Amino acid sequence: MSDPIEQPVEKREESKPAETPVPDSSDPTPQEQSSAPKEEPKTDVATPAAPVQESEPAKTEEPKVEKPAYLTKTPALGDLFDRLPSILTTVGHGEMWGVQLKDYNDVPTVNVLIKFLRANEGNLKAAEDQLTKALKWRKEVNPQALAESGKYSAAKYGGLGYLTTYEENGRPLVFTWNIYGAVKDANATFANADEFLQWRAALMELAVQDLKMKDATEVIDYDGEDPYQMYQVHDYLNVKFLRMDPAVRTATKKVIDVFATSYPELLREKYFVNVPAIMGWMFSAMKLFLSRNTTRKFHPISNGANLAREFPAPLIEQLPKVYGGKGPELKENARIVPLTEEPVATKEEAPKESAPAEDAAKEEAPQEAANEGAAKEAQEETPKVEAPKVEAAKEESAKDGAQ
């Protein structure tokens, strides 16, 4: 039996799998690719979009830094505030009428600067100069201390000055009363002009404190009513109108000069009561050379008992009876500057009779008149008017406008 013939076995080529790219060791495996979260595309961290978006709101928030309406309405007021830091640095004192001067966001400060600006009819340079001088005077004299701890001779100043504060619709109505008929010895009272000024300034400071300007919460209208002003009453009962004593003239002139600078726009109305007929003529003459804005605040009344008629009924209940009201007398209810009972040394020679009334008419320098040019007019001679009383009235109105 023959062996079977071996058939050649045909070798089949093994089909090689298609070459697949060898994965780089750094590439993730398919499992890793499926399980790993997809990475967000990288962004340039150094220049994020967020900061760009944050800068845009700054532009839209511009209204928050806009100046208050009272500055835009009165540009000179804003200019005065721009000058304020320099003024305070130069003077080294920042208190005015109990108000610590700050920036235009502080209401009491705004009201103080409005008064100085209004007193100078909006003249920025004049207001700046006056504010600077007023601050210097307060730094040197410290009138607040004069009012709080100063003591003056009762023999010289007793009965001459009073302060009363009433109320109307929740608002204080401040009155200063100057009783010139109470002067016992004109030479003793007025001989020391500096001392007289200090006593008068102390009374004024007490009145300013009662206006409560440092507690203001609303800005006064530059062209409107100002609630931070006081009334003044000058009583000339029993005052003789003779030639003015030189000591009286010197003392009252000093008060005029200081008050005209340091207490602007603080006078609301001024009443001259118990004035003799000659003063009635004097006030008529004053209208010839003083501004209407000044004289409109002056009210001469021949009979002091008629004063109460100038005020509404609720206030009549509080005014002293001697002035037509129903309230207590000044000596019973009013405040005064602290006085002492120390004896007063007087000169041997008999003092000349003076006219405190004429001075009194000059004594308070209402700033308003002074700043409206009344002060200058008051110092000018009027050749056509020969009576010396008119010149006294000029100075009076000049300073009365100042307060």
Side-chain angles (χ1 to χ4, degrees):
M1 189 170 173
S2 61
D3 295 329
I5 301 174
E6 290 182 1
Q7 296 293 330
V9 179
E10 188 176 350
K11 289 184 179 181
R12 296 181 180 179
E13 292 183 4
E14 294 180 5
S15 60
K16 296 181 179 180
E19 290 185 7
T20 57
V22 178
D24 187 80
S25 60
S26 62
D27 293 340
T29 63
Q31 287 181 344
E32 290 174 336
Q33 288 180 345
S34 62
S35 61
K38 292 184 179 181
E39 287 186 12
E40 295 294 333
K42 294 182 180 180
T43 59
D44 188 353
V45 179
T47 56
V52 177
Q53 294 177 351
E54 289 177 358
S55 62
E56 292 178 357
K59 296 180 180 179
T60 60
E61 292 177 0
E62 287 182 358
K64 294 183 179 180
V65 296
E66 284 184 357
K67 291 185 177 181
Y70 47 80
L71 293 185
T72 56
K73 179 182 177 182
T74 310
L77 181 59
D79 295 338
L80 187 55
F81 267 106
D82 291 340
R83 297 291 304 141
L84 184 60
S86 175
I87 295 172
L88 298 181
T89 300
T90 301
V91 177
H93 182 77
E95 176 273 331
M96 178 60 66
W97 307 329
V99 175
Q100 291 297 327
L101 301 181
K102 301 176 183 177
D103 56 31
Y104 61 71
N105 292 310
D106 182 64
V107 172
T109 302
V110 176
N111 289 340
V112 170
L113 265 61
I114 284 179
K115 284 181 177 288
F116 277 88
L117 195 61
R118 291 203 314 191
N120 291 278
E121 297 182 339
N123 186 312
L124 175 62
K125 184 62 170 61
E128 179 183 347
D129 290 345
Q130 183 180 359
L131 178 59
T132 300
K133 292 177 182 177
L135 287 170
K136 286 181 178 178
W137 178 77
R138 296 187 72 83
K139 179 182 179 180
E140 295 170 359
V141 177
N142 193 359
Q144 284 188 311
L146 296 178
E148 295 169 0
S149 58
K151 292 184 179 180
Y152 306 90
S153 168
K156 291 181 181 180
Y157 307 108
L160 270 64
Y162 296 95
L163 168 69
T164 58
T165 300
Y166 309 113
E167 186 174 309
E168 181 183 44
N169 299 325
R171 187 179 72 179
L173 297 180
V174 180
F175 282 70
T176 59
W177 306 78
N178 296 274
I179 316 300
Y180 293 104
V183 175
K184 302 177 183 65
D185 184 338
N187 185 67
T189 299
F190 298 98
N192 189 331
D194 290 333
E195 184 184 64
F196 178 78
L197 170 61
Q198 291 178 3
W199 169 79
R200 188 62 193 84
L203 181 63
M204 189 66 174
E205 285 294 314
L206 289 177
V208 171
Q209 289 176 13
D210 281 7
L211 290 176
K212 301 185 183 302
M213 293 186 63
K214 64 182 179 64
D215 300 325
T217 57
E218 295 184 4
V219 173
I220 59 178
D221 186 351
Y222 183 85
D223 298 314
E225 183 181 359
D226 182 354
Y228 301 103
Q229 293 181 324
M230 67 185 71
Y231 295 95
Q232 293 178 354
V233 179
H234 283 196
D235 190 342
Y236 299 111
L237 185 65
N238 298 325
V239 171
K240 296 179 180 180
F241 280 78
L242 302 177
R243 292 194 61 175
M244 187 181 301
D245 187 285
V248 179
R249 180 184 294 274
T250 300
T252 55
K253 184 180 185 303
K254 186 178 285 288
V255 173
I256 290 170
D257 293 341
V258 170
F259 277 32
T261 300
S262 302
Y263 296 101
E265 289 292 309
L266 293 180
L267 176 68
R268 183 171 179 178
E269 305 286 347
K270 186 161 190 173
Y271 298 91
F272 301 86
V273 302
N274 294 316
V275 296
I278 190 172
M279 281 195 71
W281 169 83
M282 180 181 69
F283 280 106
S284 298
M286 284 167 53
K287 295 180 181 179
L288 299 177
F289 52 82
L290 291 178
S291 69
R292 181 177 301 178
N293 191 44
T294 297
T295 56
R296 69 179 176 81
K297 292 189 175 184
F298 295 168
H299 310 284
I301 301 175
S302 59
N303 186 350
N306 294 329
L307 175 64
R309 298 179 182 179
E310 303 290 326
F311 298 95
L315 189 55
I316 294 177
E317 299 292 327
Q318 305 176 69
L319 290 174
K321 294 178 181 178
V322 69
Y323 296 109
K326 299 180 181 180
E329 302 302 336
L330 293 175
K331 292 182 179 180
E332 301 173 7
N333 192 47
R335 296 165 59 194
I336 62 171
V337 174
L339 300 175
T340 64
E341 297 298 334
E342 296 178 2
V344 179
T346 59
K347 294 183 180 180
E348 292 183 2
E349 63 176 7
K352 299 177 182 179
E353 280 192 352
S354 61
E358 294 183 19
D359 275 336
K362 301 158 65 166
E363 185 255 346
E364 290 209 352
Q367 172 96 47
E368 180 184 22
N371 288 316
E372 294 172 354
K376 293 181 180 179
E377 293 176 0
Q379 295 174 359
E380 295 176 356
E381 294 185 359
T382 53
K384 294 183 180 180
V385 182
E386 299 178 355
K389 306 295 187 303
V390 175
E391 299 229 1
K394 286 183 178 182
E395 294 182 32
E396 154 71 54
S397 52
K399 48 181 185 126
D400 282 325
Q403 298 209 67

